[in-house]
Amino acid sequence: MCELGVNIDHVATVRQARKTFEPDPVWAATLAELGGADGITVHLREDRRHIQVRDLEILHATVTAKLNLELACDNDVLDIACTIQPEQATLVPEKREEVTTEGGLDAVGSKAMVSTAITRLQDAGIKVSLFLDPDPEQIEFAATLGVSAVELHTGQYALAKGQQQDEELAKLTNSGKQVRQLGMALHAGHGLTYKNVQPVANIAGMHELNIGHSIVARAIMVGMERAVRDMKKAIHETP
Ligand code: PXP
């Protein structure tokens, strides 16, 4: 069955907008688990724009579902990952100026850096997944690195429309087959929404989907009415 990893980075984005204590991604993780999340995913970025080391430490102590840490092949973040030891680490490319992760990791083009990062994580007992574009060369190379899983980047599929989206889905389907034939677990994520998720979830052998923005966006909307009602009550309540 396809599992859902809920990415809670953007709960921390809202907190960091005010550098305060709320909303706490740790609370959000608990609620996500109550909602049935099979995993909690966070990206500890080099610039710490959302998730902080403190979040990762507390999440590691409190999350009972699988904790998946997204990280770049950066020595400082690798040190933190190897110390905290989440169950799974997903290596992603990272650029300071990007709004969100753009494109998959170029494992072929940065062999030494990627294989050193994988060895460090695996030596610390962490399962490694690589975030890759649906590109046969990258996937074939991933298999030689001994990683447990490949997370296919669904960003192009999510952006495409009509026939172009069908073509992107076909690429994901073919790449999914290749990932499984090479003996790795099949994951996917990025840009998935309530509307576009189903065809990706139905790709044969899909094991894990990591979804963040769309879930956090909906959480704000479905929770707004109640939040305003509670504030009105707080204002008008007699002590
Ligand atoms: N998977 C990876 C590797 C990502 O970098 C991200 C974004 O942090 C996601 C999944 C989730 O993407 P979205 O927030 O668009 O659902």
Side-chain angles (χ1 to χ4, degrees), residues 7 9-10 41-43 45 50 68 70 90-93 100-101 131 151-152 154 188-193 209-215:
N7 181 314
D9 290 349
H10 294 313
T41 294
V42 289
H43 184 173
R45 296 186 75 104
H50 38 53
N68 173 38
E70 294 175 5
T90 302
L91 288 171
V92 300
T100 181
T101 314
F131 184 53
E151 178 172 333
L152 294 177
T154 51
H190 211 286
L192 295 177
T193 66
L209 294 177
N210 285 299
I211 307 179
H213 185 267
S214 190
I215 294 175

Side-chain angles (χ1 to χ4, degrees), residues 7-82:
N7 181 314
I8 52 172
D9 290 349
H10 294 313
V11 176
T13 301
V14 176
R15 177 191 61 192
Q16 294 311 110
R18 287 290 177 94
K19 302 251 186 314
T20 176
F21 67 95
E22 64 178 2
D24 192 327
V26 175
W27 305 346
T30 304
L31 293 171
E33 281 204 63
L34 285 173
D38 303 294
I40 298 295
T41 294
V42 289
H43 184 173
L44 185 68
R45 296 186 75 104
E46 291 170 61
D47 64 11
R48 305 288 193 273
R49 69 173 71 157
H50 38 53
I51 293 295
Q52 308 296 307
V53 176
R54 164 266 183 211
D55 301 329
L56 187 58
E57 285 169 344
I58 303 179
L59 287 168
H60 183 247
T62 55
V63 164
T64 59
K66 175 160 97 177
L67 181 62
N68 173 38
L69 172 65
E70 294 175 5
L71 76 166
C73 298
D74 165 79
N75 268 330
D76 291 342
V77 184
L78 281 164
D79 283 346
I80 295 165
C82 292

Side-chain angles (χ1 to χ4, degrees), residues 134 152-154 157 168-176 200 203:
L152 294 177
H153 189 326
T154 51
Y157 159 81
E168 291 298 334
L169 182 63
K171 278 193 216 166
L172 292 167
T173 304
N174 292 335
S175 293
V200 177
I203 292 174

